[in-house]
Amino acid sequence: MAVKFNRFMVMALCATALTPVAAYAQETPEETAASDERRFGAIVVTAQRREENLLDVPLSVSAFSGDLLADLGVQTMDEVAKISPNVTLEVSRGTNNTISAFIRGVGQQDPVSGFEAGVGIYVDDVYLNRPQGAVLEVYDVERIEVLRGPQGTLYGRNTIGGAVKYVTKGLSSDPTFKARGVLGSYGQKDVVASGSVPLAETFRIGGGVGVFTRDGFGENLITGEDNYNKDVLSARLSAEWDVTDSFQLRLAGDYMNDESNARQGHRLIPDLFPPSTYPVLGNVYDNRAGLDVVEQKVEVYGGSLVAEYEVSDTITLKNILAYREDEGTSPIDFDALPVADVDVPGIYTNDQLSNEFQVLYSGDRLNGIVGAYYLDANSSTVFDVLLGTTGALLSLPGLNAQTFGEVSTETWSIFADFTYDLTDQFAISLGGRYTEDKRSSIVLRRTYIGGFSPFFGGPGVPIATTSNFDGSAKFDDFSPRVSLTYKPVENHTLYTTYSQGFKGGSFDPRGQTTAAPDLDQNGTVSPEEVFAFMQFEPEEVDSYEIGWKASTFEGRLQTSLAGFFMDYQNVQIPGSVGIDTNGDGVNDTFTGVTTNAASADLWGVEFEGTAVLGEEMFNESDMLTSALSVGYINAEFNEFIDAFGNDVADQRVFQNTPEWTGSLRLTYDTPFHILQKPGRLTLNTLASYRSKSSQFEVRSPLDQEAYTLVDLGLRWKPDDSRWGFTFTGKNLTDERYKVAGYNFINPVTGAPTLGLEGVLNAYYGDPRTFSIGVDYEF
């Protein structure tokens, strides 16, 4: 592993050899000021709900400005994981814009309704209750912050693994306009425009719109459609009103419409049921999926109203009211073949209403927040599972199992977190949160014959009901946090933190009540046993962290080092297993089985650093800087009880949690002439590394071996010009790496555990791409 890790570092250094030797230019006063900013500019974040220098925050936080993300060619939020240690952000299987997020081994892979996210996604302090539509396009963004470890005493929703904060730009008191056009490989065509204008001295409006299109990386050989294409429209509007000098209002709304084709998986095995003969395709982005019952489409919209009132120099009141809604349809062809075997069309709807009230205090030695949070959310899913091949085998016109699952969430909490400076060197932070969650669930499963159900326009006729569940449960928790900070000298911060995280229990909306076991062996499955089978309990984590942050050599070197240990209890293990509903010996549908089967210990180390490697090397204003991140995690189950009551902890691994993650970025900034036109050239090379990782708790062919991605970005901006020109190359070595998949194959016999053709297909990250862009700003 060490050899591979060193190799990716060497590749990044080699890429830097492409750096051009710029023409000499006399440094101007503006360039001198820009150089000072590059060297000494403090990173300001709001991780503790107040503006602070990143070096003073006793938390593990990675922060990336919008300008840096643009220079790196970051287009969607999941790419931030490349430069964040111990973080996984991936597009969920069978989707285009649903996110699977893991931080320090804690997260959620399956985006089905009813599950709380282990990692909270926030847009301007509004928590997104569901992961659908959360692969946000990165434009008009001020910064993105990644907070590692439990978050609850400072944030609206209690999240057990961490949080990702997407912070959009505020509106300027002067008219602004910015536009960017991009052309790239695979027919990429992007247009983004944003701007703002003051309508009065105290009132401003602004907005942005982006159209992102691209041909597919592969092709559906059955329908002729592009696979992995992109067709997204995204827009934001906002207005800011300074009602008085101490009272401000901000109204914001956003909209996203994704009409990209259904993203279908690549089969890793040939079909297993004669007479079909479909060999494995050579291009991992190609497929033969034949399901076209519903179109692939996702529509997301929402709005928020933020009111902020400064009562005094020390007390500020803030209220965040927000509503969000999304609806999507998706044809997921599990077997990725034209035959009707495990064809799953689905419809997903989500809505949420939230309100958060904060009282912020800022004094000479005492700073903190007291807050109350309320969320009312509903999430529902309906999908068919058609096995037409099985129907043909039985001389029936097709068997289909439909599942309707709905989970409603009503939660409220109160939280507080305060930091008191005992001396100029010592500070203590104390926080706590009380949370009360109520979950209500309806699960209705029915078996049809004759094809798809009428819900999806089919002629299917119901013949049996296998689930008819209606239940609710309440969960409550108190989560504390305590942190000690010591500043031995200026620009050095040492801290130790204990925090507790909580993720509420719920019901699996795919559960089948007839599969509930007879726990007391009395020959009858009671309603209490059915309820216990459908429900899963909350999970908790006790997190301990020590860290050191420093800025040395007059800001030329900034480092952050953290070590952590997490005691993870009642780990929720979601899964799907094939079941036989009609007794023909073939599993004709799947049921969700979620248990609190595990406890685990996780410990690791994270390092992040930036350094000025050289100045005035070839002229009087050039600069070479670097950014390095390294994450190591040891994640092991102490106990893992399988469906048969056996402890199989030594046979299970943490999903989506590579042991090593790392990145190295080198940036060279210099004066540079093009066609005798003076300007500044910025070159960024980025190498990001991930060691071997598993898609599930059990090792499978979907596991991904270690890999390295190398990206290159160039930006040239002429002097005294509003124009800028960019070139971006991503995945320059054209790696093929899995990010998700489906597996319903018996690991011992190789036989299908769902359907007849066999389900073992993978979804892959993007191949090598190139793009050029032009931007204009005033």
PDB file of all heavy atoms in Angstrom, residues 250-268:
ATOM      1  N   ARG A 250     -33.420  37.595   4.447  1.00  0.00           N
ATOM      2  CA  ARG A 250     -32.933  37.018   3.202  1.00  0.00           C
ATOM      3  C   ARG A 250     -33.894  35.931   2.758  1.00  0.00           C
ATOM      4  O   ARG A 250     -34.155  34.973   3.475  1.00  0.00           O
ATOM      5  CB  ARG A 250     -31.540  36.412   3.352  1.00  0.00           C
ATOM      6  CG  ARG A 250     -30.977  35.978   1.990  1.00  0.00           C
ATOM      7  CD  ARG A 250     -29.678  35.240   2.096  1.00  0.00           C
ATOM      8  NE  ARG A 250     -29.049  35.111   0.782  1.00  0.00           N
ATOM      9  CZ  ARG A 250     -28.271  34.098   0.425  1.00  0.00           C
ATOM     10  NH1 ARG A 250     -28.020  33.116   1.260  1.00  0.00           N
ATOM     11  NH2 ARG A 250     -27.743  34.063  -0.769  1.00  0.00           N
ATOM     12  N   LEU A 251     -34.436  36.116   1.575  1.00  0.00           N
ATOM     13  CA  LEU A 251     -35.351  35.144   0.974  1.00  0.00           C
ATOM     14  C   LEU A 251     -34.623  34.474  -0.193  1.00  0.00           C
ATOM     15  O   LEU A 251     -34.043  35.155  -1.042  1.00  0.00           O
ATOM     16  CB  LEU A 251     -36.620  35.851   0.478  1.00  0.00           C
ATOM     17  CG  LEU A 251     -37.667  34.965  -0.216  1.00  0.00           C
ATOM     18  CD1 LEU A 251     -38.262  33.970   0.773  1.00  0.00           C
ATOM     19  CD2 LEU A 251     -38.760  35.830  -0.835  1.00  0.00           C
ATOM     20  N   ALA A 252     -34.633  33.139  -0.227  1.00  0.00           N
ATOM     21  CA  ALA A 252     -33.911  32.413  -1.269  1.00  0.00           C
ATOM     22  C   ALA A 252     -34.744  31.241  -1.752  1.00  0.00           C
ATOM     23  O   ALA A 252     -35.505  30.633  -0.986  1.00  0.00           O
ATOM     24  CB  ALA A 252     -32.558  31.920  -0.748  1.00  0.00           C
ATOM     25  N   GLY A 253     -34.616  30.950  -3.019  1.00  0.00           N
ATOM     26  CA  GLY A 253     -35.292  29.796  -3.611  1.00  0.00           C
ATOM     27  C   GLY A 253     -34.391  29.131  -4.624  1.00  0.00           C
ATOM     28  O   GLY A 253     -33.526  29.777  -5.234  1.00  0.00           O
ATOM     29  N   ASP A 254     -34.540  27.826  -4.780  1.00  0.00           N
ATOM     30  CA  ASP A 254     -33.735  27.108  -5.759  1.00  0.00           C
ATOM     31  C   ASP A 254     -34.580  26.065  -6.458  1.00  0.00           C
ATOM     32  O   ASP A 254     -35.608  25.598  -5.934  1.00  0.00           O
ATOM     33  CB  ASP A 254     -32.523  26.449  -5.086  1.00  0.00           C
ATOM     34  CG  ASP A 254     -32.912  25.411  -4.059  1.00  0.00           C
ATOM     35  OD1 ASP A 254     -33.056  24.238  -4.429  1.00  0.00           O
ATOM     36  OD2 ASP A 254     -33.075  25.768  -2.879  1.00  0.00           O
ATOM     37  N   TYR A 255     -34.127  25.694  -7.665  1.00  0.00           N
ATOM     38  CA  TYR A 255     -34.861  24.735  -8.492  1.00  0.00           C
ATOM     39  C   TYR A 255     -33.861  23.918  -9.288  1.00  0.00           C
ATOM     40  O   TYR A 255     -32.847  24.444  -9.772  1.00  0.00           O
ATOM     41  CB  TYR A 255     -35.807  25.475  -9.444  1.00  0.00           C
ATOM     42  CG  TYR A 255     -36.502  24.565 -10.439  1.00  0.00           C
ATOM     43  CD1 TYR A 255     -37.639  23.853 -10.074  1.00  0.00           C
ATOM     44  CD2 TYR A 255     -36.014  24.431 -11.747  1.00  0.00           C
ATOM     45  CE1 TYR A 255     -38.274  23.020 -10.984  1.00  0.00           C
ATOM     46  CE2 TYR A 255     -36.649  23.597 -12.658  1.00  0.00           C
ATOM     47  CZ  TYR A 255     -37.786  22.892 -12.278  1.00  0.00           C
ATOM     48  OH  TYR A 255     -38.403  22.068 -13.179  1.00  0.00           O
ATOM     49  N   MET A 256     -34.118  22.620  -9.392  1.00  0.00           N
ATOM     50  CA  MET A 256     -33.274  21.745 -10.202  1.00  0.00           C
ATOM     51  C   MET A 256     -34.146  20.746 -10.942  1.00  0.00           C
ATOM     52  O   MET A 256     -35.028  20.130 -10.349  1.00  0.00           O
ATOM     53  CB  MET A 256     -32.259  21.000  -9.335  1.00  0.00           C
ATOM     54  CG  MET A 256     -31.191  20.229 -10.121  1.00  0.00           C
ATOM     55  SD  MET A 256     -31.703  18.567 -10.590  1.00  0.00           S
ATOM     56  CE  MET A 256     -31.644  17.745  -9.006  1.00  0.00           C
ATOM     57  N   ASN A 257     -33.904  20.617 -12.233  1.00  0.00           N
ATOM     58  CA  ASN A 257     -34.628  19.657 -13.059  1.00  0.00           C
ATOM     59  C   ASN A 257     -33.597  18.809 -13.807  1.00  0.00           C
ATOM     60  O   ASN A 257     -32.821  19.325 -14.604  1.00  0.00           O
ATOM     61  CB  ASN A 257     -35.535  20.379 -14.052  1.00  0.00           C
ATOM     62  CG  ASN A 257     -36.377  19.409 -14.858  1.00  0.00           C
ATOM     63  OD1 ASN A 257     -36.851  18.404 -14.330  1.00  0.00           O
ATOM     64  ND2 ASN A 257     -36.557  19.685 -16.138  1.00  0.00           N
ATOM     65  N   ASP A 258     -33.577  17.520 -13.511  1.00  0.00           N
ATOM     66  CA  ASP A 258     -32.622  16.600 -14.122  1.00  0.00           C
ATOM     67  C   ASP A 258     -33.377  15.659 -15.042  1.00  0.00           C
ATOM     68  O   ASP A 258     -34.164  14.822 -14.586  1.00  0.00           O
ATOM     69  CB  ASP A 258     -31.887  15.816 -13.031  1.00  0.00           C
ATOM     70  CG  ASP A 258     -30.741  14.977 -13.591  1.00  0.00           C
ATOM     71  OD1 ASP A 258     -30.721  14.718 -14.806  1.00  0.00           O
ATOM     72  OD2 ASP A 258     -29.869  14.575 -12.806  1.00  0.00           O
ATOM     73  N   GLU A 259     -33.152  15.797 -16.337  1.00  0.00           N
ATOM     74  CA  GLU A 259     -33.783  14.935 -17.333  1.00  0.00           C
ATOM     75  C   GLU A 259     -32.748  14.049 -18.020  1.00  0.00           C
ATOM     76  O   GLU A 259     -32.948  13.601 -19.148  1.00  0.00           O
ATOM     77  CB  GLU A 259     -34.543  15.773 -18.355  1.00  0.00           C
ATOM     78  CG  GLU A 259     -35.711  16.545 -17.746  1.00  0.00           C
ATOM     79  CD  GLU A 259     -36.556  17.258 -18.784  1.00  0.00           C
ATOM     80  OE1 GLU A 259     -36.151  17.283 -19.970  1.00  0.00           O
ATOM     81  OE2 GLU A 259     -37.625  17.786 -18.421  1.00  0.00           O
ATOM     82  N   SER A 260     -31.649  13.783 -17.334  1.00  0.00           N
ATOM     83  CA  SER A 260     -30.658  12.849 -17.862  1.00  0.00           C
ATOM     84  C   SER A 260     -31.286  11.467 -18.008  1.00  0.00           C
ATOM     85  O   SER A 260     -32.235  11.113 -17.302  1.00  0.00           O
ATOM     86  CB  SER A 260     -29.452  12.764 -16.925  1.00  0.00           C
ATOM     87  OG  SER A 260     -28.972  14.038 -16.580  1.00  0.00           O
ATOM     88  N   ASN A 261     -30.738  10.671 -18.926  1.00  0.00           N
ATOM     89  CA  ASN A 261     -31.230   9.312 -19.095  1.00  0.00           C
ATOM     90  C   ASN A 261     -30.973   8.495 -17.833  1.00  0.00           C
ATOM     91  O   ASN A 261     -30.105   8.832 -17.023  1.00  0.00           O
ATOM     92  CB  ASN A 261     -30.550   8.634 -20.285  1.00  0.00           C
ATOM     93  CG  ASN A 261     -30.864   9.316 -21.600  1.00  0.00           C
ATOM     94  OD1 ASN A 261     -31.896   9.973 -21.729  1.00  0.00           O
ATOM     95  ND2 ASN A 261     -29.974   9.185 -22.568  1.00  0.00           N
ATOM     96  N   ALA A 262     -31.723   7.416 -17.697  1.00  0.00           N
ATOM     97  CA  ALA A 262     -31.500   6.513 -16.566  1.00  0.00           C
ATOM     98  C   ALA A 262     -30.073   5.977 -16.622  1.00  0.00           C
ATOM     99  O   ALA A 262     -29.593   5.546 -17.675  1.00  0.00           O
ATOM    100  CB  ALA A 262     -32.495   5.362 -16.620  1.00  0.00           C
ATOM    101  N   ARG A 263     -29.391   6.035 -15.484  1.00  0.00           N
ATOM    102  CA  ARG A 263     -28.030   5.502 -15.395  1.00  0.00           C
ATOM    103  C   ARG A 263     -28.123   4.018 -15.054  1.00  0.00           C
ATOM    104  O   ARG A 263     -28.501   3.639 -13.948  1.00  0.00           O
ATOM    105  CB  ARG A 263     -27.241   6.259 -14.332  1.00  0.00           C
ATOM    106  CG  ARG A 263     -25.806   5.807 -14.202  1.00  0.00           C
ATOM    107  CD  ARG A 263     -25.016   6.689 -13.258  1.00  0.00           C
ATOM    108  NE  ARG A 263     -24.888   8.051 -13.758  1.00  0.00           N
ATOM    109  CZ  ARG A 263     -23.975   8.925 -13.334  1.00  0.00           C
ATOM    110  NH1 ARG A 263     -23.109   8.567 -12.402  1.00  0.00           N
ATOM    111  NH2 ARG A 263     -23.929  10.137 -13.818  1.00  0.00           N
ATOM    112  N   GLN A 264     -27.763   3.179 -16.015  1.00  0.00           N
ATOM    113  CA  GLN A 264     -27.871   1.738 -15.831  1.00  0.00           C
ATOM    114  C   GLN A 264     -26.498   1.121 -15.587  1.00  0.00           C
ATOM    115  O   GLN A 264     -25.486   1.615 -16.076  1.00  0.00           O
ATOM    116  CB  GLN A 264     -28.525   1.077 -17.056  1.00  0.00           C
ATOM    117  CG  GLN A 264     -29.904   1.626 -17.401  1.00  0.00           C
ATOM    118  CD  GLN A 264     -30.983   1.227 -16.398  1.00  0.00           C
ATOM    119  OE1 GLN A 264     -30.709   0.597 -15.375  1.00  0.00           O
ATOM    120  NE2 GLN A 264     -32.220   1.595 -16.685  1.00  0.00           N
ATOM    121  N   GLY A 265     -26.491   0.027 -14.834  1.00  0.00           N
ATOM    122  CA  GLY A 265     -25.244  -0.594 -14.433  1.00  0.00           C
ATOM    123  C   GLY A 265     -24.648  -1.498 -15.502  1.00  0.00           C
ATOM    124  O   GLY A 265     -25.304  -1.879 -16.485  1.00  0.00           O
ATOM    125  N   HIS A 266     -23.392  -1.835 -15.304  1.00  0.00           N
ATOM    126  CA  HIS A 266     -22.640  -2.716 -16.205  1.00  0.00           C
ATOM    127  C   HIS A 266     -22.559  -4.108 -15.580  1.00  0.00           C
ATOM    128  O   HIS A 266     -22.075  -4.276 -14.457  1.00  0.00           O
ATOM    129  CB  HIS A 266     -21.229  -2.148 -16.412  1.00  0.00           C
ATOM    130  CG  HIS A 266     -20.293  -3.067 -17.118  1.00  0.00           C
ATOM    131  ND1 HIS A 266     -20.372  -3.320 -18.470  1.00  0.00           N
ATOM    132  CD2 HIS A 266     -19.254  -3.819 -16.663  1.00  0.00           C
ATOM    133  CE1 HIS A 266     -19.416  -4.156 -18.813  1.00  0.00           C
ATOM    134  NE2 HIS A 266     -18.733  -4.483 -17.728  1.00  0.00           N
ATOM    135  N   ARG A 267     -23.047  -5.115 -16.303  1.00  0.00           N
ATOM    136  CA  ARG A 267     -23.017  -6.487 -15.789  1.00  0.00           C
ATOM    137  C   ARG A 267     -21.579  -6.997 -15.733  1.00  0.00           C
ATOM    138  O   ARG A 267     -20.817  -6.869 -16.693  1.00  0.00           O
ATOM    139  CB  ARG A 267     -23.840  -7.425 -16.675  1.00  0.00           C
ATOM    140  CG  ARG A 267     -25.339  -7.317 -16.468  1.00  0.00           C
ATOM    141  CD  ARG A 267     -26.067  -8.325 -17.335  1.00  0.00           C
ATOM    142  NE  ARG A 267     -25.791  -9.702 -16.926  1.00  0.00           N
ATOM    143  CZ  ARG A 267     -26.524 -10.387 -16.061  1.00  0.00           C
ATOM    144  NH1 ARG A 267     -27.578  -9.827 -15.498  1.00  0.00           N
ATOM    145  NH2 ARG A 267     -26.212 -11.635 -15.752  1.00  0.00           N
ATOM    146  N   LEU A 268     -21.245  -7.586 -14.591  1.00  0.00           N
ATOM    147  CA  LEU A 268     -19.910  -8.159 -14.428  1.00  0.00           C
ATOM    148  C   LEU A 268     -19.877  -9.643 -14.745  1.00  0.00           C
ATOM    149  O   LEU A 268     -18.802 -10.255 -14.744  1.00  0.00           O
ATOM    150  CB  LEU A 268     -19.427  -7.939 -12.991  1.00  0.00           C
ATOM    151  CG  LEU A 268     -19.339  -6.481 -12.520  1.00  0.00           C
ATOM    152  CD1 LEU A 268     -18.869  -6.424 -11.071  1.00  0.00           C
ATOM    153  CD2 LEU A 268     -18.424  -5.669 -13.412  1.00  0.00           C
TER     154      LEU A 268
END
